[in-house]
Amino acid sequence: MIDVKETLNGAKDRMEMAVLYLEEQLARIRAGRANVAILEGIRVNSYGSMVPLNQVANLTVPDPRTIAIRPWDKKAIKDIEKAIMDSDVGITPENNGEIIRLGIPQPTEERRKELVKQCNKIGERSKVEVRNTRGEVKDKLKKAIKDGLSEDNEKDAEIELQKIHDKYIKAIDELLNAKTKEIMTV
């Protein structure tokens, strides 16, 4: 026999992961403001191994349009610059021998609209994952009736599942609205 609470908790965890995925992806989309999260995926060749940028340098945001990267080993400047150029960040680094600076350009209106579309696509993927989870759990509950789960318990579980679903869809919408507002603010 199926454990209804455990099944609902599993669904909740999967939906939570979809929201966390969305948060992580939205953090990487730059909206004209400097944010070290856009450098998270960059790996630098350091002494023969590929390591995350934040393990070879200190990343700071001295002003809203600049990211400063101060390598702990000055010899790593060329490797860091190469890693940034090879990444999909799309910003050319400038260095003065000690610090690498990334100037974040102000996006055009057209670019802002593209970024909003990109955010919405990622948001839709998260919503689809939440809906798929709901559908799978609903199917499990329907099959559980054959295994001895009472119809009342199944209906209660379905109502609870719908509440969980609605909560996470609302969270996704709120994240998307906040990011859209951030992107469209000049």
Side-chain angles (χ1 to χ4, degrees), residues 11-42:
K12 201 179 219 177
D13 291 345
R14 281 184 58 192
M15 291 178 189
E16 180 74 33
M17 292 305 287
V19 172
L20 291 174
Y21 167 79
L22 176 64
E23 280 179 2
E24 187 181 296
Q25 293 301 309
L26 290 181
R28 291 185 180 173
I29 294 176
R30 59 187 168 96
R33 278 193 203 85
N35 181 354
V36 294
I38 65 173
L39 302 174
E40 264 179 23
I42 297 178

Side-chain angles (χ1 to χ4, degrees), residues 79-91:
D79 291 329
I80 292 172
E81 279 188 326
K82 183 179 181 333
I84 292 169
M85 294 295 280
D86 293 345
S87 73
D88 60 355
V89 172
I91 302 171

Side-chain angles (χ1 to χ4, degrees), residues 25 27 47 68 75 96 110 120 151 165 180:
Q25 293 301 309
Y47 300 107
K75 294 176 195 147
N96 63 7
E110 189 177 308
N120 288 336
E151 285 188 26
H165 166 270
T180 300

Side-chain angles (χ1 to χ4, degrees), residues 141-176:
L141 292 170
K142 295 253 186 268
K143 288 176 184 162
I145 292 176
K146 293 176 186 140
D147 296 338
L149 183 70
S150 73
E151 285 188 26
D152 287 345
N153 285 348
E154 187 266 343
K155 286 289 178 213
D156 291 345
E158 245 183 63
I159 291 168
E160 186 61 31
L161 178 65
Q162 188 61 42
K163 285 179 186 171
I164 294 168
H165 166 270
D166 294 345
K167 174 183 153 191
Y168 285 106
I169 292 291
K170 185 175 182 233
I172 289 170
D173 285 337
E174 286 170 359
L175 283 170
L176 288 173

Side-chain angles (χ1 to χ4, degrees), residues 134-146:
R134 178 187 60 181
E136 288 169 22
V137 172
K138 259 186 169 179
D139 291 345
K140 255 188 203 174
L141 292 170
K142 295 253 186 268
K143 288 176 184 162
I145 292 176
K146 293 176 186 140

Side-chain angles (χ1 to χ4, degrees), residues 43-184:
R43 300 180 83 67
V44 179
N45 185 1
S46 176
Y47 300 107
S49 62
M50 298 303 280
V51 295
L53 177 59
N54 63 3
Q55 291 184 9
V56 295
N58 184 26
L59 309 174
T60 57
V61 181
D63 63 72
R65 295 255 166 257
T66 310
I67 297 175
I69 304 165
R70 183 184 297 270
W72 292 314
D73 180 3
K74 287 190 177 63
K75 294 176 195 147
I77 283 186
K78 291 287 180 225
D79 291 329
I80 292 172
E81 279 188 326
K82 183 179 181 333
I84 292 169
M85 294 295 280
D86 293 345
S87 73
D88 60 355
V89 172
I91 302 171
T92 306
E94 306 163 11
N95 88 64
N96 63 7
E98 286 185 22
I99 298 174
I100 299 170
R101 294 189 190 285
L102 299 178
I104 311 293
Q106 182 73 29
T108 62
E109 184 70 23
E110 189 177 308
R111 177 71 178 134
R112 288 175 194 275
K113 288 178 182 172
E114 284 175 28
L115 290 171
V116 169
K117 279 183 188 173
Q118 188 180 344
C119 291
N120 288 336
K121 277 184 187 170
I122 298 167
E124 193 53 42
R125 272 189 297 214
S126 295
K127 285 181 179 181
V128 166
E129 177 58 30
V130 169
R131 290 182 194 122
N132 287 346
T133 302
R134 178 187 60 181
E136 288 169 22
V137 172
K138 259 186 169 179
D139 291 345
K140 255 188 203 174
L141 292 170
K142 295 253 186 268
K143 288 176 184 162
I145 292 176
K146 293 176 186 140
D147 296 338
L149 183 70
S150 73
E151 285 188 26
D152 287 345
N153 285 348
E154 187 266 343
K155 286 289 178 213
D156 291 345
E158 245 183 63
I159 291 168
E160 186 61 31
L161 178 65
Q162 188 61 42
K163 285 179 186 171
I164 294 168
H165 166 270
D166 294 345
K167 174 183 153 191
Y168 285 106
I169 292 291
K170 185 175 182 233
I172 289 170
D173 285 337
E174 286 170 359
L175 283 170
L176 288 173
N177 288 339
K179 190 65 176 184
T180 300
K181 188 176 176 186
E182 177 189 329
I183 290 171
M184 295 312 272

